[in-house]
Amino acid sequence: MAQFTPSLPPDLAAEVTALRIPLVELTRHAQLMLRLHTENIELRAMIEKMQGEMKDNFDRVDRNIANANLRLRIHTDANVHVTQYHPMLRDPPILESPDNLKAWIHEMHGKLLVDGKVLFPSAELRFRYVYSRLHPEAQAFVTTQLEWAQVTGHWDYKDIFNILKCNYKTDECKCKAEAWARAKEDLKDFELE
């Protein structure tokens, strides 16, 4: 066994000598550490290269998505004229007089049957459309029903027709004033959000 002594600090040389670590073993450990250090550097380089490739791939995917969205928007914009719906019936006039109620209800009902599903896809939109076609005095009769619909989520535009018939005292009125008064009292128990 060869003794290991060259160019070590004296305290380390003493430890090496005291431990009697052979030179061959120390050389093997040094070579192993050097190899591990070299592999570590190579692995770091490979990881950096892979990260760069992944970034390039993500950038390419982002560009492809952006291009696809642009093509879709251009295609959609080009076909807008084809998909736009043109109403079949004109808007009913604003209900301003009880004398026009029957004709107005027929016109409104026809409008909602023919154009309603496309122009007003939800029950709430249909209800609000009918409400918007009322004179402010007629809207005052229906305000309670509007509040009730907001609380319960029951958006039936025919309720507006029934309230107007009742308030204008038509022959078709099937409701009683007491029932509406009770409904108004019940509404006070609910709070609008």
Side-chain angles (χ1 to χ4, degrees):
M1 282 193 175
Q3 287 290 330
F4 180 79
T5 50
S7 71
L8 286 175
D11 54 336
L12 188 59
E15 278 186 45
V16 169
T17 306
L19 293 173
R20 299 181 184 254
I21 300 174
L23 180 59
V24 175
E25 192 174 331
L26 282 176
T27 306
R28 195 178 76 226
H29 285 293
Q31 289 172 346
L32 177 64
M33 288 181 65
L34 182 61
R35 192 176 79 234
L36 289 174
H37 179 69
T38 306
E39 287 177 2
N40 187 14
I41 290 172
E42 291 170 357
L43 286 173
R44 286 177 188 253
M46 286 174 52
I47 289 172
E48 288 177 7
K49 180 182 174 188
M50 289 171 65
Q51 286 175 336
E53 290 172 357
M54 286 174 56
K55 184 183 180 311
D56 292 343
N57 287 338
F58 283 129
D59 290 344
R60 188 172 39 255
V61 167
D62 286 344
R63 282 192 306 275
N64 288 343
I65 290 171
N67 288 338
N69 286 338
L70 179 62
R71 284 193 307 270
L72 178 63
R73 194 172 73 231
I74 290 170
H75 178 72
T76 303
D77 291 346
N79 291 326
V80 162
H81 69 280
V82 175
T83 60
Q84 284 181 336
Y85 180 79
H86 298 286
M88 303 294 288
L89 299 175
R90 66 178 179 83
D91 289 330
I94 302 281
L95 177 65
E96 297 198 17
S97 165
D99 301 333
N100 303 335
L101 181 62
K102 275 188 175 181
W104 181 85
I105 286 175
H106 288 295
E107 280 187 67
M108 183 60 71
H109 192 67
K111 172 72 173 178
L112 292 172
L113 285 175
V114 173
D115 297 327
K117 297 260 188 223
V118 176
L119 296 177
F120 316 107
S122 72
E124 181 178 358
L125 290 175
R126 288 187 289 277
F127 184 97
R128 290 188 181 276
Y129 174 73
V130 171
Y131 183 81
S132 73
R133 304 305 297 169
L134 299 174
H135 187 272
E137 288 177 16
Q139 284 180 345
F141 294 133
V142 184
T143 302
T144 303
Q145 184 61 33
L146 175 62
E147 293 169 353
W148 180 258
Q150 289 172 333
V151 169
T152 63
H154 179 74
W155 297 97
D156 189 354
Y157 67 88
K158 293 175 189 167
D159 291 343
I160 294 176
F161 297 163
N162 292 331
I163 292 169
L164 292 173
K165 289 176 194 176
C166 185
N167 281 296
Y168 287 141
K169 310 269 189 254
T170 64
D171 296 335
E172 299 173 31
C173 181
K174 295 180 182 172
C175 63
K176 297 181 181 176
E178 298 89 29
W180 288 111
R182 278 195 306 268
K184 286 181 184 180
E185 287 300 317
D186 291 343
L187 183 60
K188 289 180 184 175
D189 295 338
F190 291 92
E191 288 187 29
L192 293 178
E193 295 181 23

